[in-house]
Amino acid sequence: RWLETFRTPTWTDFHRLHHRLTATDKRLADELKGLSAACNLPRTTILVERPTVARKSPPVPYVSQK
């Protein structure tokens, strides 16, 4: 299991950070997937932390599993 923590001000910033890949990033990801058995590919789970401080509008919780 590999766990990374990112703190971004908005959900849009988070998506921008994770969907802006270079050609080298894409090639490396493809090579890493090639090292895994077809039935045991890596899975990504996104967990969103709810802030503990009061905000004007409450954040919408979102969990994505790929």
Short mmCIF file of all heavy atoms in Angstrom, two decimals:
data_model
loop_
_atom_site.label_atom_id
_atom_site.label_comp_id
_atom_site.label_asym_id
_atom_site.label_seq_id
_atom_site.Cartn_x
_atom_site.Cartn_y
_atom_site.Cartn_z
N ARG A 1 0.85 -1.18 0.00
CA ARG A 1 0.00 0.00 0.00
C ARG A 1 0.88 1.23 0.00
O ARG A 1 1.84 1.32 0.75
CB ARG A 1 -0.90 0.00 1.23
CG ARG A 1 -1.81 1.21 1.27
CD ARG A 1 -2.74 1.09 2.42
NE ARG A 1 -3.71 0.07 2.12
CZ ARG A 1 -5.01 0.26 2.10
NH1 ARG A 1 -5.49 1.43 2.40
NH2 ARG A 1 -5.82 -0.70 1.80
N TRP A 2 0.54 2.19 -0.86
CA TRP A 2 1.27 3.45 -0.96
C TRP A 2 0.28 4.56 -0.65
O TRP A 2 -0.79 4.63 -1.23
CB TRP A 2 1.80 3.62 -2.39
CG TRP A 2 2.58 4.87 -2.58
CD1 TRP A 2 2.09 6.07 -3.02
CD2 TRP A 2 3.96 5.07 -2.35
NE1 TRP A 2 3.09 7.00 -3.09
CE2 TRP A 2 4.27 6.40 -2.67
CE3 TRP A 2 4.99 4.26 -1.90
CZ2 TRP A 2 5.53 6.94 -2.56
CZ3 TRP A 2 6.25 4.78 -1.79
CH2 TRP A 2 6.51 6.11 -2.12
N LEU A 3 0.64 5.44 0.28
CA LEU A 3 -0.24 6.53 0.67
C LEU A 3 0.46 7.86 0.44
O LEU A 3 1.58 8.06 0.89
CB LEU A 3 -0.61 6.40 2.16
CG LEU A 3 -1.43 7.54 2.75
CD1 LEU A 3 -2.82 7.56 2.12
CD2 LEU A 3 -1.52 7.36 4.25
N GLU A 4 -0.21 8.73 -0.32
CA GLU A 4 0.29 10.08 -0.54
C GLU A 4 -0.75 11.06 -0.01
O GLU A 4 -1.94 10.82 -0.13
CB GLU A 4 0.50 10.35 -2.02
CG GLU A 4 1.65 9.60 -2.63
CD GLU A 4 1.80 9.92 -4.10
OE1 GLU A 4 0.86 9.68 -4.86
OE2 GLU A 4 2.88 10.43 -4.46
N THR A 5 -0.29 12.15 0.55
CA THR A 5 -1.19 13.18 1.06
C THR A 5 -0.94 14.47 0.31
O THR A 5 0.20 14.90 0.18
CB THR A 5 -0.94 13.41 2.57
OG1 THR A 5 -1.12 12.18 3.25
CG2 THR A 5 -1.89 14.43 3.13
N PHE A 6 -2.02 15.06 -0.20
CA PHE A 6 -1.95 16.34 -0.90
C PHE A 6 -2.94 17.28 -0.26
O PHE A 6 -4.06 16.91 0.02
CB PHE A 6 -2.32 16.19 -2.39
CG PHE A 6 -1.40 15.29 -3.15
CD1 PHE A 6 -1.69 13.95 -3.27
CD2 PHE A 6 -0.27 15.79 -3.74
CE1 PHE A 6 -0.84 13.12 -3.97
CE2 PHE A 6 0.59 14.96 -4.45
CZ PHE A 6 0.29 13.62 -4.56
N ARG A 7 -2.53 18.49 -0.06
CA ARG A 7 -3.44 19.52 0.45
C ARG A 7 -3.53 20.61 -0.61
O ARG A 7 -2.55 21.26 -0.93
CB ARG A 7 -2.95 20.10 1.77
CG ARG A 7 -3.01 19.08 2.87
CD ARG A 7 -2.68 19.69 4.20
NE ARG A 7 -2.72 18.65 5.21
CZ ARG A 7 -3.70 18.52 6.09
NH1 ARG A 7 -4.69 19.36 6.09
NH2 ARG A 7 -3.67 17.54 6.97
N THR A 8 -4.72 20.74 -1.16
CA THR A 8 -4.96 21.75 -2.17
C THR A 8 -6.16 22.60 -1.74
O THR A 8 -7.05 22.09 -1.07
CB THR A 8 -5.24 21.13 -3.55
OG1 THR A 8 -6.35 20.25 -3.45
CG2 THR A 8 -4.04 20.37 -4.07
N PRO A 9 -6.17 23.86 -2.12
CA PRO A 9 -7.26 24.72 -1.65
C PRO A 9 -8.63 24.35 -2.20
O PRO A 9 -9.63 24.56 -1.54
CB PRO A 9 -6.85 26.12 -2.11
CG PRO A 9 -5.69 25.95 -3.01
CD PRO A 9 -5.17 24.57 -2.87
N THR A 10 -8.68 23.79 -3.41
CA THR A 10 -9.97 23.45 -4.00
C THR A 10 -9.88 22.09 -4.69
O THR A 10 -8.81 21.58 -4.99
CB THR A 10 -10.41 24.49 -5.05
OG1 THR A 10 -9.50 24.43 -6.17
CG2 THR A 10 -10.46 25.90 -4.47
N TRP A 11 -11.05 21.52 -4.95
CA TRP A 11 -11.15 20.24 -5.66
C TRP A 11 -10.63 20.41 -7.09
O TRP A 11 -9.98 19.52 -7.63
CB TRP A 11 -12.60 19.78 -5.65
CG TRP A 11 -12.83 18.45 -6.25
CD1 TRP A 11 -13.55 18.18 -7.37
CD2 TRP A 11 -12.36 17.18 -5.78
NE1 TRP A 11 -13.54 16.84 -7.63
CE2 TRP A 11 -12.83 16.20 -6.67
CE3 TRP A 11 -11.59 16.78 -4.70
CZ2 TRP A 11 -12.54 14.85 -6.50
CZ3 TRP A 11 -11.31 15.44 -4.55
CH2 TRP A 11 -11.78 14.49 -5.43
N THR A 12 -10.86 21.55 -7.69
CA THR A 12 -10.37 21.83 -9.04
C THR A 12 -8.84 21.82 -9.07
O THR A 12 -8.23 21.27 -9.99
CB THR A 12 -10.90 23.18 -9.54
OG1 THR A 12 -12.33 23.14 -9.52
CG2 THR A 12 -10.42 23.49 -10.94
N ASP A 13 -8.21 22.43 -8.07
CA ASP A 13 -6.75 22.42 -7.99
C ASP A 13 -6.22 21.00 -7.86
O ASP A 13 -5.20 20.65 -8.44
CB ASP A 13 -6.26 23.26 -6.82
CG ASP A 13 -6.46 24.75 -7.04
OD1 ASP A 13 -6.51 25.16 -8.22
OD2 ASP A 13 -6.57 25.47 -6.04
N PHE A 14 -6.91 20.17 -7.09
CA PHE A 14 -6.50 18.77 -6.93
C PHE A 14 -6.53 18.07 -8.29
O PHE A 14 -5.58 17.38 -8.66
CB PHE A 14 -7.43 18.05 -5.94
CG PHE A 14 -7.18 16.58 -5.86
CD1 PHE A 14 -6.15 16.09 -5.07
CD2 PHE A 14 -7.95 15.68 -6.56
CE1 PHE A 14 -5.91 14.73 -4.99
CE2 PHE A 14 -7.71 14.33 -6.49
CZ PHE A 14 -6.68 13.85 -5.69
N HIS A 15 -7.63 18.23 -9.04
CA HIS A 15 -7.73 17.59 -10.36
C HIS A 15 -6.68 18.13 -11.32
O HIS A 15 -6.10 17.36 -12.09
CB HIS A 15 -9.13 17.79 -10.95
CG HIS A 15 -10.10 16.78 -10.46
ND1 HIS A 15 -10.23 15.56 -11.03
CD2 HIS A 15 -10.94 16.79 -9.41
CE1 HIS A 15 -11.13 14.86 -10.38
NE2 HIS A 15 -11.58 15.59 -9.38
N ARG A 16 -6.42 19.41 -11.28
CA ARG A 16 -5.40 20.01 -12.14
C ARG A 16 -4.04 19.38 -11.84
O ARG A 16 -3.27 19.07 -12.74
CB ARG A 16 -5.37 21.52 -11.92
CG ARG A 16 -4.61 22.26 -12.97
CD ARG A 16 -4.74 23.77 -12.79
NE ARG A 16 -6.11 24.22 -12.94
CZ ARG A 16 -6.76 24.99 -12.09
NH1 ARG A 16 -6.17 25.44 -11.00
NH2 ARG A 16 -8.00 25.35 -12.32
N LEU A 17 -3.75 19.20 -10.57
CA LEU A 17 -2.48 18.61 -10.15
C LEU A 17 -2.31 17.18 -10.65
O LEU A 17 -1.24 16.79 -11.10
CB LEU A 17 -2.38 18.65 -8.62
CG LEU A 17 -1.17 17.99 -7.98
CD1 LEU A 17 0.10 18.77 -8.31
CD2 LEU A 17 -1.36 17.90 -6.48
N HIS A 18 -3.38 16.40 -10.61
CA HIS A 18 -3.28 14.98 -10.94
C HIS A 18 -3.59 14.62 -12.39
O HIS A 18 -3.39 13.48 -12.78
CB HIS A 18 -4.18 14.17 -10.00
CG HIS A 18 -3.62 14.11 -8.62
ND1 HIS A 18 -2.59 13.28 -8.28
CD2 HIS A 18 -3.92 14.80 -7.52
CE1 HIS A 18 -2.29 13.46 -7.02
NE2 HIS A 18 -3.08 14.38 -6.52
N HIS A 19 -4.07 15.56 -13.16
CA HIS A 19 -4.37 15.25 -14.55
C HIS A 19 -3.45 15.98 -15.53
O HIS A 19 -3.65 15.91 -16.73
CB HIS A 19 -5.83 15.58 -14.86
CG HIS A 19 -6.78 14.66 -14.17
ND1 HIS A 19 -7.34 14.97 -12.96
CD2 HIS A 19 -7.20 13.42 -14.49
CE1 HIS A 19 -8.11 13.96 -12.58
NE2 HIS A 19 -8.03 13.01 -13.49
N ARG A 20 -2.45 16.65 -15.00
CA ARG A 20 -1.49 17.36 -15.86
C ARG A 20 -0.22 16.52 -15.92
O ARG A 20 0.75 16.79 -15.24
CB ARG A 20 -1.21 18.74 -15.26
CG ARG A 20 -0.38 19.61 -16.14
CD ARG A 20 -0.23 20.99 -15.59
NE ARG A 20 -0.30 21.04 -14.15
CZ ARG A 20 -0.21 22.13 -13.42
NH1 ARG A 20 -0.04 23.28 -14.01
NH2 ARG A 20 -0.29 22.10 -12.13
N LEU A 21 -0.22 15.50 -16.76
CA LEU A 21 0.91 14.59 -16.87
C LEU A 21 1.76 14.92 -18.09
O LEU A 21 1.24 15.28 -19.14
CB LEU A 21 0.42 13.14 -16.98
CG LEU A 21 -0.41 12.62 -15.81
CD1 LEU A 21 -0.89 11.21 -16.11
CD2 LEU A 21 0.37 12.66 -14.52
N THR A 22 3.04 14.75 -17.93
CA THR A 22 3.94 14.91 -19.07
C THR A 22 4.02 13.59 -19.83
O THR A 22 3.54 12.56 -19.35
CB THR A 22 5.36 15.29 -18.59
OG1 THR A 22 5.89 14.20 -17.83
CG2 THR A 22 5.34 16.57 -17.76
N ALA A 23 4.62 13.61 -21.00
CA ALA A 23 4.79 12.39 -21.78
C ALA A 23 5.64 11.38 -20.99
O ALA A 23 5.39 10.18 -21.03
CB ALA A 23 5.44 12.71 -23.12
N THR A 24 6.62 11.87 -20.24
CA THR A 24 7.47 10.99 -19.44
C THR A 24 6.66 10.35 -18.31
O THR A 24 6.82 9.16 -18.02
CB THR A 24 8.66 11.78 -18.85
OG1 THR A 24 9.39 12.36 -19.93
CG2 THR A 24 9.57 10.89 -18.04
N ASP A 25 5.78 11.13 -17.67
CA ASP A 25 4.91 10.58 -16.61
C ASP A 25 4.04 9.46 -17.17
O ASP A 25 3.89 8.41 -16.55
CB ASP A 25 3.99 11.66 -16.03
CG ASP A 25 4.74 12.73 -15.26
OD1 ASP A 25 5.83 12.44 -14.73
OD2 ASP A 25 4.21 13.86 -15.18
N LYS A 26 3.45 9.67 -18.33
CA LYS A 26 2.58 8.68 -18.97
C LYS A 26 3.37 7.42 -19.31
O LYS A 26 2.92 6.30 -19.05
CB LYS A 26 1.96 9.28 -20.23
CG LYS A 26 1.12 8.35 -21.03
CD LYS A 26 -0.20 8.07 -20.37
CE LYS A 26 -1.09 7.30 -21.32
NZ LYS A 26 -1.59 6.07 -20.76
N ARG A 27 4.56 7.58 -19.87
CA ARG A 27 5.39 6.43 -20.24
C ARG A 27 5.77 5.62 -19.00
O ARG A 27 5.67 4.39 -18.99
CB ARG A 27 6.65 6.89 -20.97
CG ARG A 27 7.54 5.75 -21.46
CD ARG A 27 8.80 6.26 -22.14
NE ARG A 27 9.55 7.23 -21.35
CZ ARG A 27 10.34 6.92 -20.31
NH1 ARG A 27 10.47 5.68 -19.93
NH2 ARG A 27 10.99 7.86 -19.66
N LEU A 28 6.15 6.30 -17.93
CA LEU A 28 6.52 5.63 -16.69
C LEU A 28 5.34 4.87 -16.10
O LEU A 28 5.47 3.72 -15.66
CB LEU A 28 7.07 6.64 -15.68
CG LEU A 28 7.52 6.08 -14.34
CD1 LEU A 28 8.62 5.04 -14.53
CD2 LEU A 28 7.99 7.20 -13.44
N ALA A 29 4.15 5.49 -16.10
CA ALA A 29 2.96 4.81 -15.58
C ALA A 29 2.65 3.56 -16.39
O ALA A 29 2.30 2.51 -15.83
CB ALA A 29 1.76 5.76 -15.61
N ASP A 30 2.79 3.64 -17.72
CA ASP A 30 2.56 2.47 -18.57
C ASP A 30 3.57 1.36 -18.29
O ASP A 30 3.22 0.18 -18.25
CB ASP A 30 2.60 2.86 -20.05
CG ASP A 30 1.41 3.72 -20.46
OD1 ASP A 30 0.40 3.74 -19.72
OD2 ASP A 30 1.52 4.39 -21.50
N GLU A 31 4.83 1.73 -18.07
CA GLU A 31 5.85 0.73 -17.75
C GLU A 31 5.56 0.06 -16.41
O GLU A 31 5.71 -1.16 -16.28
CB GLU A 31 7.23 1.38 -17.70
CG GLU A 31 7.79 1.75 -19.06
CD GLU A 31 9.16 2.41 -18.97
OE1 GLU A 31 9.87 2.20 -17.97
OE2 GLU A 31 9.51 3.16 -19.90
N LEU A 32 5.13 0.84 -15.43
CA LEU A 32 4.81 0.27 -14.12
C LEU A 32 3.62 -0.66 -14.19
O LEU A 32 3.60 -1.71 -13.55
CB LEU A 32 4.56 1.38 -13.10
CG LEU A 32 5.79 2.20 -12.72
CD1 LEU A 32 5.39 3.38 -11.86
CD2 LEU A 32 6.81 1.33 -12.00
N LYS A 33 2.60 -0.30 -14.98
CA LYS A 33 1.45 -1.18 -15.15
C LYS A 33 1.86 -2.49 -15.81
O LYS A 33 1.32 -3.55 -15.52
CB LYS A 33 0.37 -0.50 -15.99
CG LYS A 33 -0.39 0.54 -15.23
CD LYS A 33 -1.45 1.18 -16.10
CE LYS A 33 -2.12 2.32 -15.38
NZ LYS A 33 -3.09 3.02 -16.23
N GLY A 34 2.86 -2.43 -16.70
CA GLY A 34 3.35 -3.63 -17.37
C GLY A 34 4.04 -4.60 -16.41
O GLY A 34 4.15 -5.79 -16.70
N LEU A 35 4.49 -4.11 -15.27
CA LEU A 35 5.14 -4.97 -14.28
C LEU A 35 4.14 -5.72 -13.41
O LEU A 35 4.52 -6.66 -12.70
CB LEU A 35 6.06 -4.14 -13.37
CG LEU A 35 7.23 -3.45 -14.07
CD1 LEU A 35 7.97 -2.55 -13.08
CD2 LEU A 35 8.18 -4.47 -14.67
N SER A 36 2.88 -5.32 -13.44
CA SER A 36 1.85 -5.96 -12.62
C SER A 36 1.16 -7.05 -13.42
O SER A 36 1.02 -6.96 -14.63
CB SER A 36 0.80 -4.93 -12.19
OG SER A 36 1.39 -3.94 -11.40
N ALA A 37 0.69 -8.06 -12.70
CA ALA A 37 -0.11 -9.09 -13.35
C ALA A 37 -1.42 -8.47 -13.79
O ALA A 37 -1.95 -7.57 -13.13
CB ALA A 37 -0.37 -10.23 -12.38
N ALA A 38 -1.98 -8.91 -14.91
CA ALA A 38 -3.20 -8.32 -15.46
C ALA A 38 -4.35 -8.36 -14.46
O ALA A 38 -5.20 -7.48 -14.44
CB ALA A 38 -3.59 -9.03 -16.75
N CYS A 39 -4.40 -9.39 -13.62
CA CYS A 39 -5.50 -9.51 -12.66
C CYS A 39 -5.21 -8.75 -11.36
O CYS A 39 -6.05 -8.70 -10.47
CB CYS A 39 -5.77 -10.97 -12.37
SG CYS A 39 -4.37 -11.81 -11.61
N ASN A 40 -4.02 -8.15 -11.24
CA ASN A 40 -3.65 -7.48 -10.00
C ASN A 40 -3.09 -6.08 -10.26
O ASN A 40 -2.08 -5.69 -9.71
CB ASN A 40 -2.63 -8.34 -9.24
CG ASN A 40 -2.47 -7.92 -7.80
OD1 ASN A 40 -3.36 -7.29 -7.24
ND2 ASN A 40 -1.35 -8.25 -7.22
N LEU A 41 -3.80 -5.31 -11.11
CA LEU A 41 -3.35 -3.95 -11.41
C LEU A 41 -3.53 -3.05 -10.20
O LEU A 41 -4.42 -3.26 -9.39
CB LEU A 41 -4.13 -3.39 -12.59
CG LEU A 41 -3.84 -4.03 -13.94
CD1 LEU A 41 -4.76 -3.46 -15.01
CD2 LEU A 41 -2.39 -3.81 -14.34
N PRO A 42 -2.68 -2.03 -10.05
CA PRO A 42 -2.82 -1.11 -8.93
C PRO A 42 -4.17 -0.40 -8.95
O PRO A 42 -4.70 -0.09 -10.01
CB PRO A 42 -1.69 -0.10 -9.15
CG PRO A 42 -0.77 -0.73 -10.12
CD PRO A 42 -1.56 -1.70 -10.91
N ARG A 43 -4.73 -0.16 -7.77
CA ARG A 43 -5.99 0.57 -7.63
C ARG A 43 -5.71 1.91 -6.96
O ARG A 43 -4.82 2.03 -6.15
CB ARG A 43 -6.98 -0.20 -6.76
CG ARG A 43 -7.47 -1.47 -7.41
CD ARG A 43 -8.50 -2.17 -6.55
NE ARG A 43 -7.92 -2.45 -5.22
CZ ARG A 43 -8.60 -2.45 -4.09
NH1 ARG A 43 -9.89 -2.18 -4.09
NH2 ARG A 43 -8.02 -2.71 -2.95
N THR A 44 -6.50 2.90 -7.31
CA THR A 44 -6.39 4.22 -6.70
C THR A 44 -7.65 4.51 -5.91
O THR A 44 -8.76 4.33 -6.43
CB THR A 44 -6.21 5.31 -7.78
OG1 THR A 44 -5.04 5.02 -8.53
CG2 THR A 44 -6.10 6.68 -7.17
N THR A 45 -7.48 4.94 -4.69
CA THR A 45 -8.60 5.36 -3.85
C THR A 45 -8.34 6.79 -3.41
O THR A 45 -7.26 7.09 -2.91
CB THR A 45 -8.74 4.46 -2.61
OG1 THR A 45 -8.89 3.11 -3.04
CG2 THR A 45 -9.93 4.87 -1.76
N ILE A 46 -9.31 7.67 -3.62
CA ILE A 46 -9.16 9.06 -3.23
C ILE A 46 -10.03 9.30 -2.00
O ILE A 46 -11.23 9.03 -2.02
CB ILE A 46 -9.59 10.01 -4.36
CG1 ILE A 46 -8.71 9.79 -5.59
CG2 ILE A 46 -9.52 11.46 -3.90
CD1 ILE A 46 -9.17 10.53 -6.81
N LEU A 47 -9.41 9.77 -0.93
CA LEU A 47 -10.14 10.11 0.29
C LEU A 47 -10.06 11.61 0.49
O LEU A 47 -8.99 12.20 0.40
CB LEU A 47 -9.51 9.39 1.49
CG LEU A 47 -9.43 7.87 1.37
CD1 LEU A 47 -8.62 7.30 2.53
CD2 LEU A 47 -10.80 7.27 1.34
N VAL A 48 -11.18 12.23 0.76
CA VAL A 48 -11.23 13.67 0.95
C VAL A 48 -11.49 13.95 2.42
O VAL A 48 -12.46 13.45 2.99
CB VAL A 48 -12.33 14.31 0.07
CG1 VAL A 48 -12.40 15.80 0.30
CG2 VAL A 48 -12.06 14.00 -1.40
N GLU A 49 -10.64 14.76 3.00
CA GLU A 49 -10.78 15.12 4.41
C GLU A 49 -11.70 16.33 4.54
O GLU A 49 -11.53 17.32 3.85
CB GLU A 49 -9.40 15.46 4.99
CG GLU A 49 -9.44 15.88 6.42
CD GLU A 49 -8.05 16.25 6.94
OE1 GLU A 49 -7.08 16.16 6.18
OE2 GLU A 49 -7.96 16.64 8.11
N ARG A 50 -12.64 16.22 5.43
CA ARG A 50 -13.53 17.35 5.68
C ARG A 50 -12.84 18.32 6.63
O ARG A 50 -12.35 17.91 7.67
CB ARG A 50 -14.84 16.86 6.28
CG ARG A 50 -15.79 18.00 6.61
CD ARG A 50 -17.08 17.49 7.10
NE ARG A 50 -17.81 17.03 5.92
CZ ARG A 50 -19.08 16.72 5.93
NH1 ARG A 50 -19.77 16.77 7.03
NH2 ARG A 50 -19.67 16.32 4.82
N PRO A 51 -12.82 19.60 6.31
CA PRO A 51 -12.19 20.57 7.20
C PRO A 51 -12.91 20.63 8.54
O PRO A 51 -14.12 20.42 8.61
CB PRO A 51 -12.33 21.90 6.46
CG PRO A 51 -12.73 21.57 5.08
CD PRO A 51 -13.34 20.21 5.09
N THR A 52 -12.17 20.95 9.59
CA THR A 52 -12.76 21.02 10.92
C THR A 52 -13.23 22.43 11.26
O THR A 52 -13.92 22.61 12.25
CB THR A 52 -11.75 20.56 11.98
OG1 THR A 52 -10.58 21.36 11.86
CG2 THR A 52 -11.40 19.10 11.81
N VAL A 53 -12.88 23.40 10.45
CA VAL A 53 -13.31 24.78 10.70
C VAL A 53 -14.60 25.06 9.94
O VAL A 53 -14.88 24.45 8.92
CB VAL A 53 -12.22 25.80 10.28
CG1 VAL A 53 -10.98 25.64 11.12
CG2 VAL A 53 -11.90 25.68 8.81
N ALA A 54 -15.38 25.98 10.45
CA ALA A 54 -16.64 26.33 9.80
C ALA A 54 -16.37 27.05 8.48
O ALA A 54 -15.47 27.87 8.38
CB ALA A 54 -17.47 27.21 10.72
N ARG A 55 -17.16 26.74 7.47
CA ARG A 55 -17.06 27.39 6.17
C ARG A 55 -18.42 27.94 5.79
O ARG A 55 -19.44 27.55 6.36
CB ARG A 55 -16.61 26.38 5.11
CG ARG A 55 -15.28 25.75 5.44
CD ARG A 55 -14.93 24.77 4.39
NE ARG A 55 -14.28 25.48 3.31
CZ ARG A 55 -13.79 24.91 2.25
NH1 ARG A 55 -13.89 23.62 2.10
NH2 ARG A 55 -13.19 25.60 1.32
N LYS A 56 -18.45 28.80 4.80
CA LYS A 56 -19.72 29.37 4.35
C LYS A 56 -20.64 28.28 3.79
O LYS A 56 -21.81 28.27 4.05
CB LYS A 56 -19.47 30.44 3.29
CG LYS A 56 -18.82 31.68 3.85
CD LYS A 56 -18.63 32.73 2.78
CE LYS A 56 -17.96 33.95 3.36
NZ LYS A 56 -17.70 34.96 2.35
N SER A 57 -20.08 27.37 3.01
CA SER A 57 -20.88 26.26 2.49
C SER A 57 -20.12 24.97 2.77
O SER A 57 -18.91 24.89 2.55
CB SER A 57 -21.12 26.42 0.99
OG SER A 57 -19.91 26.43 0.30
N PRO A 58 -20.81 23.95 3.27
CA PRO A 58 -20.12 22.71 3.61
C PRO A 58 -19.58 22.01 2.36
O PRO A 58 -20.23 22.04 1.32
CB PRO A 58 -21.18 21.87 4.30
CG PRO A 58 -22.48 22.45 3.86
CD PRO A 58 -22.23 23.90 3.52
N PRO A 59 -18.40 21.40 2.45
CA PRO A 59 -17.85 20.68 1.30
C PRO A 59 -18.67 19.41 1.03
O PRO A 59 -19.28 18.84 1.93
CB PRO A 59 -16.43 20.33 1.73
CG PRO A 59 -16.48 20.34 3.22
CD PRO A 59 -17.53 21.34 3.60
N VAL A 60 -18.69 19.00 -0.21
CA VAL A 60 -19.39 17.77 -0.59
C VAL A 60 -18.38 16.62 -0.54
O VAL A 60 -17.35 16.66 -1.21
CB VAL A 60 -19.96 17.90 -2.03
CG1 VAL A 60 -20.62 16.61 -2.46
CG2 VAL A 60 -20.91 19.08 -2.10
N PRO A 61 -18.64 15.59 0.29
CA PRO A 61 -17.69 14.48 0.35
C PRO A 61 -17.71 13.69 -0.96
O PRO A 61 -18.74 13.52 -1.58
CB PRO A 61 -18.21 13.63 1.51
CG PRO A 61 -19.63 14.02 1.68
CD PRO A 61 -19.78 15.41 1.16
N TYR A 62 -16.53 13.22 -1.36
CA TYR A 62 -16.41 12.48 -2.61
C TYR A 62 -15.32 11.43 -2.45
O TYR A 62 -14.23 11.74 -2.01
CB TYR A 62 -16.04 13.43 -3.74
CG TYR A 62 -15.84 12.75 -5.07
CD1 TYR A 62 -16.91 12.43 -5.87
CD2 TYR A 62 -14.57 12.41 -5.51
CE1 TYR A 62 -16.74 11.82 -7.08
CE2 TYR A 62 -14.38 11.78 -6.73
CZ TYR A 62 -15.47 11.50 -7.52
OH TYR A 62 -15.28 10.88 -8.71
N VAL A 63 -15.64 10.19 -2.78
CA VAL A 63 -14.65 9.11 -2.75
C VAL A 63 -14.71 8.44 -4.10
O VAL A 63 -15.78 8.05 -4.57
CB VAL A 63 -14.94 8.10 -1.63
CG1 VAL A 63 -13.97 6.94 -1.70
CG2 VAL A 63 -14.87 8.77 -0.28
N SER A 64 -13.57 8.31 -4.75
CA SER A 64 -13.50 7.68 -6.05
C SER A 64 -12.63 6.45 -5.95
O SER A 64 -11.56 6.50 -5.38
CB SER A 64 -12.90 8.65 -7.07
OG SER A 64 -12.66 7.99 -8.27
N GLN A 65 -13.10 5.34 -6.49
CA GLN A 65 -12.28 4.13 -6.52
C GLN A 65 -12.16 3.68 -7.96
O GLN A 65 -13.15 3.53 -8.64
CB GLN A 65 -12.90 3.02 -5.68
CG GLN A 65 -12.90 3.35 -4.22
CD GLN A 65 -13.37 2.19 -3.39
OE1 GLN A 65 -13.74 1.14 -3.92
NE2 GLN A 65 -13.36 2.36 -2.09
N LYS A 66 -10.92 3.53 -8.40
CA LYS A 66 -10.67 3.11 -9.78
C LYS A 66 -10.04 1.74 -9.75
O LYS A 66 -9.34 1.38 -8.92
CB LYS A 66 -9.75 4.09 -10.48
CG LYS A 66 -10.38 5.43 -10.68
CD LYS A 66 -9.44 6.35 -11.43
CE LYS A 66 -10.07 7.70 -11.60
NZ LYS A 66 -9.23 8.63 -12.25
#
